[in-house]
Amino acid sequence: MNDINTKKITRIPRIYSLDSLRGLKLINMLQIHFSNLWVIPFLKAQLDYMSIIYIIGLPLFIIIPGVSLTLSLENRKLRGEPSKESLKHIIKRGFILIFLNQLMNIGAFGFAASWASGIFSLLGFSIIINCFLMRYSKLTRGIIAGIIIGVSPFLRLLFIDVNDFIGRVGFAAPWTIIEWLKATLIAPGFALFPWIGFVIAGSILGEYLITGIKENNINKALKKLMIIGAILFPLGLIMDIIKFPTFTIADLNIFNTGNIIWVIGLNCFIIAGFYWLEDMKRVKFVVLDIINLVGRLTLTLFFIHAYFMVAVVEVVGGEQILRMYSFFIIFLLFFVFTYILGELWKRNNFQYSLEWLLGTLS
């Protein structure tokens, strides 16, 4: 963090709060995923409060890679790497993520799931596209993100019918080029429209942080994030409350147009708050350290969790049959083992993790 206090920045330092936010959201996402597959449905209602965090935080899981992309490109620029080389690295990284998504789907759920888009493929396509958009100003990218979010309901109305919403549950749809394109571009799930809007938003927030660090005026940057949040949060909330626009079932569900806008606004406050807490005030306590460590293994743990939750189903003899006590014991053991392994793995700089592999290959 010493670079922040120098007049000439030679490298943007690691932003520790981003790792903590990744870890926090991964824990929340895995709790939702595990409980959906393992827990008796009427008992799972006790976990519904976690869905509130999920609605707010799942997009943060997509926003942060946009921030990280901006930081990565800036550091490559600061060390004198040609822009074409940087673009090549990002494209390679994107295609590795897309490959990992399909590998995870097929390995955990079988070839019937090979058509499905997921978080990895969404991020892969998004960072490639966003890399080309980085040549434009923050305002232009913001307008592009707004257009993508705005036209998504119309695209769903034109190209998705109600049977698509039902048929995709449980990765049931067979692989065809049409199904793959729908899943990748517009279908319910993690399609580029509108989810790439989160990644573009992340790149804009990341650029504000970089400017603040380089100008040694991070307080100004954080205030700008909070101003953006103060504009987007009420705007999106009003749209969400009045259910505008509403064309399909997806427009009445979570991550509709209004929800997307107010969630981006709220996450501006969250990113600014965690940066102030961890990277400026250097607040340290054990729980935050554990979450931070989990965040540094996000890709690896998310990839593994798909296989793990299916393996537990095989061991216990079926889906949605666990009681809450059994669920929490297995869930806790998963992260206890993760923390112990992470502390040991950290000494070797997480060699052979997906994070290490992605950095090595791209």
Side-chain angles (χ1 to χ4, degrees), residues 240-345:
D240 200 359
I241 291 171
I242 65 176
K243 299 178 175 59
F244 174 81
T246 300
F247 302 131
T248 69
I249 294 173
D251 302 317
L252 296 172
N253 211 331
I254 60 172
F255 308 126
N256 58 43
T257 304
N259 184 193
I260 290 169
I261 293 172
W262 72 254
V263 160
I264 291 175
L266 187 57
N267 279 314
C268 289
F269 290 109
I270 292 172
I271 291 173
F274 267 75
Y275 189 96
W276 178 84
L277 186 72
E278 276 199 87
D279 296 288
M280 291 181 65
K281 296 300 180 181
R282 313 288 181 87
V283 172
K284 297 291 181 184
F285 50 91
V286 175
V287 174
L288 202 57
D289 288 341
I290 294 172
I291 292 172
N292 190 278
L293 180 62
V294 170
R296 296 181 67 182
L297 289 169
T298 299
L299 293 180
T300 303
L301 292 176
F302 193 85
F303 187 85
I304 291 172
H305 101 281
Y307 296 90
F308 177 74
M309 66 182 185
V310 172
V312 169
V313 167
E314 304 252 338
V315 171
V316 301
E319 299 180 9
Q320 298 182 328
I321 63 173
L322 289 182
R323 296 182 182 276
M324 294 299 296
Y325 289 119
S326 301
F327 164 74
F328 277 116
I329 289 171
I330 297 172
F331 184 74
L332 182 61
L333 287 175
F334 179 84
F335 280 102
V336 167
F337 178 76
T338 295
Y339 177 68
I340 294 171
L341 179 63
E343 283 293 338
L344 297 173
W345 211 350

Side-chain angles (χ1 to χ4, degrees), residues 34-96:
F34 288 162
S35 63
N36 284 342
L37 192 63
W38 296 346
V39 177
I40 299 170
F42 80 89
L43 293 177
K44 192 177 73 66
Q46 299 174 39
L47 287 172
D48 280 351
Y49 72 94
M50 293 300 296
S51 298
I52 299 173
I53 305 174
Y54 190 75
I55 293 168
I56 296 170
L58 175 58
L60 180 60
F61 198 80
I62 316 297
I63 290 171
I64 289 176
V67 180
S68 299
L69 171 65
T70 310
L71 297 173
S72 175
L73 288 173
E74 182 65 23
N75 276 328
R76 290 178 183 278
K77 179 181 176 182
L78 288 173
R79 66 174 180 251
E81 182 176 276
S83 57
K84 287 185 178 179
E85 279 298 309
S86 299
L87 179 62
K88 188 188 301 181
H89 283 295
I90 298 302
I91 291 174
K92 191 186 298 183
R93 179 168 294 197
F95 279 113
I96 292 172

Side-chain angles (χ1 to χ4, degrees), residues 46-212:
Q46 299 174 39
L47 287 172
D48 280 351
Y49 72 94
M50 293 300 296
S51 298
I52 299 173
I53 305 174
Y54 190 75
I55 293 168
I56 296 170
L58 175 58
L60 180 60
F61 198 80
I62 316 297
I63 290 171
I64 289 176
V67 180
S68 299
L69 171 65
T70 310
L71 297 173
S72 175
L73 288 173
E74 182 65 23
N75 276 328
R76 290 178 183 278
K77 179 181 176 182
L78 288 173
R79 66 174 180 251
E81 182 176 276
S83 57
K84 287 185 178 179
E85 279 298 309
S86 299
L87 179 62
K88 188 188 301 181
H89 283 295
I90 298 302
I91 291 174
K92 191 186 298 183
R93 179 168 294 197
F95 279 113
I96 292 172
L97 285 170
I98 295 165
F99 171 75
L100 287 173
N101 183 84
Q102 304 315 112
L103 183 65
M104 181 177 68
N105 283 353
I106 294 170
F109 306 108
F111 282 96
S114 60
W115 62 272
S117 181
I119 287 183
F120 282 177
S121 57
L122 167 68
L123 293 179
F125 284 118
S126 294
I127 64 173
I128 291 172
I129 295 169
N130 205 39
C131 196
F132 288 97
L133 294 178
M134 291 298 291
R135 69 187 69 180
Y136 301 109
S137 68
K138 294 191 290 293
L139 176 60
T140 301
R141 278 179 282 148
I143 293 171
I144 291 171
I147 291 172
I148 289 170
I149 294 167
V151 302
S152 294
F154 296 93
L155 294 176
R156 286 194 293 264
L157 176 66
L158 290 173
F159 298 108
I160 303 293
D161 61 40
V162 67
N163 293 322
D164 283 300
F165 291 92
I166 300 170
R168 292 169 186 280
V169 177
F171 300 105
W175 195 96
T176 66
I177 188 63
I178 298 298
E179 283 297 330
W180 185 82
L181 285 172
K182 281 183 179 181
T184 302
L185 295 175
I186 54 173
F190 295 104
L192 281 170
F193 288 82
W195 287 83
I196 191 175
F198 288 125
V199 182
I200 297 173
S203 74
I204 296 170
L205 303 186
E207 201 164 317
Y208 277 114
L209 292 177
I210 287 172
T211 302

